[in-house]
Amino acid sequence: MITLTPVPRALLPVDSDSAALVSAPNYDEFQGDKEVWEVIQTHPASALRVTMAHCDVDSPARILVADSEDSLARAAANMAELIASDLTREIQNVLWVYEIEDPKPQGIRQIGLGGMARTDEIRTDASPNGTIIRNEGIREPKARGRADLIGATRAIIGTVNNTVDDAAGRIQEALEAHARGVPADLEVDDHAGYRHRVWIVAEETAVRRFQDLFAEEPHAYVADGNHRSAAAAMLGCEHFLAVFFPARTMGIAPYNRLVGELVDTLPADRLMTALEAKFEVEDAPGQGAFQPTETHRIGLYAPGQGWMALRPLPGTFDPEDAAGAIDADIVQKNLFEHAFGISDPGDQRLTFVGGNKDAAWLQHEVDEGRAAYAVTLPPVTMAQFIEVCRQNRHMPPKSTWFVPKIRSGLVMALLD
């Protein structure tokens, strides 16, 4: 059972023009603080001034320490300014239908329902029967930083992206019927060309109908935002801000890796010996940068050797272990640890690169000397993702880049 309740006090842009100014990518879509700073310069009313307040400065050289007292004080002031702004309005006791559409031919149309989910329904060691299943471990400092932000601003801006099976398709059918019936309250395009639409659901009968549909779902799976849900739980909040999408409407892009320049580049013969102990190795197909699309086909770019295509040899992973069979885990154990001596996925020599950067960008980083190697992985499938959750295992770190991303600042929750 999934319990979804209306947002008691919701803050949202007054119209679509305001949404274009206020809404923003989530904080975890950026490769670094300077990228965030650049967006704030061109979008000075952006919600990033709250979620990434340490970057709301007049020069990159003056960027503050994230989650510091100065940063949190700035976030609180910027949140108060956003609430008082003519760009936003407050409404009470609402759910919202949320659609993200790729306007290109044959593009995806992802539609879901937003509201407040219960923190006590999250599956943890203390609540093993929880119906909202996380798929990765929680790093306490990261969750604490998000919790401190919620505490300082008395608001939740970061939305947790979840998926549900919706096996009979009834949720998707009801959401699409609602969207066809009335114009969207908000509509905005993001930097990647995706169109985001929001329909506010305030009428009591409609709210109850959606709640009843979600109450029939046995489980939900956290796609993006494990630390955002953990932050609310840390504060003792009964609810966290969430959107639930039927699994069939969601997509996953590749989540690639750079091996830092601090790793000594192996001579070609030593690299090949290390690779051939764990992988079948061949030249990558095509002439350009190689981004694999097939499960268990991995790309490796080495200076002076170009792109190689790797297939893990039998015995290098357990196919019955849903998490261990994810290519990110296979690469961690059989390439990073075996060949480069990097046993910890959190090692600072590894950089995780989301689906908003392509394989050519990774190759350029190596060619420019900012990384020693580039590794490209096929996207995890939804079937793989859900099976890891059903086995009650954790996904390997940074292995799923769900696309399109939820846009931050379209619907926010005020706590006081």
Side-chain angles (χ1 to χ4, degrees):
M1 175 178 179
I2 303 301
T3 306
L4 197 57
T5 60
V7 183
R9 294 181 61 206
L11 185 74
L12 61 154
V14 296
D15 55 24
S16 295
D17 290 339
S18 298
L21 300 174
V22 171
S23 65
N26 278 301
Y27 64 88
D28 54 1
E29 294 182 54
F30 297 93
Q31 284 299 120
D33 286 347
K34 189 170 184 295
E35 284 189 10
V36 180
W37 180 85
E38 289 170 349
V39 172
I40 291 175
Q41 301 314 297
T42 56
H43 295 78
S46 164
L48 284 172
R49 294 181 65 235
V50 179
T51 59
M52 297 291 280
H54 65 288
C55 297
D56 182 29
V57 292
D58 56 14
S59 163
R62 301 185 66 182
I63 288 175
L64 302 171
V65 176
D67 306 323
S68 64
E69 287 187 13
D70 288 344
S71 174
L72 292 172
R74 185 162 301 209
N78 289 349
M79 188 70 216
E81 183 180 311
L82 184 61
I83 293 171
S85 168
D86 291 339
L87 297 174
T88 62
R89 65 187 175 112
E90 180 185 332
I91 54 177
Q92 297 181 352
N93 299 317
V94 296
L95 302 174
W96 74 96
V97 174
Y98 184 18
E99 178 189 75
I100 314 174
E101 181 185 17
D102 184 351
K104 296 190 291 291
Q106 275 109 40
I108 65 168
R109 181 176 184 239
Q110 182 174 319
I111 192 165
L113 187 69
M116 303 300 285
R118 294 190 61 88
T119 54
D120 63 5
E121 290 184 359
I122 299 171
R123 182 174 294 181
T124 65
D125 290 342
S127 53
N129 296 318
T131 53
I132 299 175
I133 303 175
R134 287 180 176 151
N135 55 79
E136 66 177 44
I138 300 300
R139 298 198 301 278
E140 198 275 341
K142 183 176 179 181
R144 174 56 59 190
R146 294 296 99 187
D148 289 344
L149 179 67
I150 294 171
T153 60
R154 303 305 301 158
I156 303 176
I157 293 180
T159 307
V160 179
N161 180 355
N162 307 270
T163 184
V164 292
D165 291 305
D166 187 28
R170 295 177 62 220
I171 290 175
Q172 183 178 352
E173 181 181 342
L175 292 169
E176 290 178 347
H178 185 93
R180 286 194 302 268
V182 292
D185 292 281
L186 300 173
E187 183 170 336
V188 63
D189 291 348
D190 67 19
H191 62 287
Y194 294 108
R195 187 157 297 140
H196 300 252
R197 297 187 182 95
V198 168
W199 290 262
I200 297 301
V201 182
E203 197 271 320
E204 188 174 334
T205 302
V207 168
R208 190 179 302 112
R209 182 172 68 252
F210 281 126
Q211 288 178 312
D212 290 344
L213 283 172
F214 276 86
E216 296 174 5
E217 286 295 310
H219 298 105
Y221 316 103
V222 179
D224 263 334
N226 285 282
H227 289 86
R228 294 192 281 276
S229 63
M234 274 183 174
L235 290 172
C237 298
E238 292 185 0
H239 299 89
F240 60 94
L241 196 64
V243 175
F244 294 83
F245 295 99
R248 69 177 63 83
T249 73
M250 299 184 72
I252 305 176
Y255 214 143
N256 297 319
R257 276 92 167 111
L258 287 172
V259 183
E261 73 276 10
L262 296 179
V263 172
D264 292 333
T265 303
L266 296 175
D269 58 342
R270 283 183 55 198
L271 177 62
M272 290 303 297
T273 298
L275 293 178
E276 289 173 347
K278 300 291 184 178
F279 299 94
E280 176 187 323
V281 184
E282 57 187 21
D283 292 335
Q287 301 299 314
F290 175 51
Q291 177 61 66
T293 57
E294 177 189 349
T295 299
H296 303 331
R297 190 164 168 83
I298 296 153
L300 172 65
Y301 182 73
Q305 294 173 262
W307 284 96
M308 292 171 273
L310 314 179
R311 288 188 187 274
L313 294 174
T316 55
F317 68 96
D318 179 2
E320 300 303 315
D321 177 348
I326 299 292
D327 287 307
D329 197 65
I330 292 170
V331 161
Q332 177 59 45
K333 294 173 180 174
N334 296 287
L335 178 60
F336 297 152
E337 183 173 348
H338 172 71
F340 303 137
I342 303 175
S343 58
D344 180 6
D347 192 296
Q348 295 301 306
R349 291 171 292 179
L350 295 178
T351 298
F352 302 100
V353 183
N356 53 347
K357 305 287 187 184
D358 62 14
W361 184 89
L362 276 80
Q363 177 178 330
H364 183 70
E365 291 297 289
V366 175
D367 291 341
E368 292 297 309
R370 290 187 287 270
Y373 299 96
V375 177
T376 51
L377 302 174
V380 172
T381 68
M382 280 302 298
Q384 285 179 302
F385 171 77
I386 290 175
E387 186 57 27
V388 170
C389 295
R390 287 177 175 165
Q391 289 189 10
N392 208 26
R393 299 180 186 271
H394 285 163
M395 294 291 292
K398 304 297 183 183
S399 53
T400 49
W401 184 270
F402 282 86
V403 288
K405 294 288 186 181
I406 290 176
R407 194 151 178 84
S408 180
L410 289 173
V411 179
M412 299 163 275
L414 304 179
L415 298 185
D416 292 329

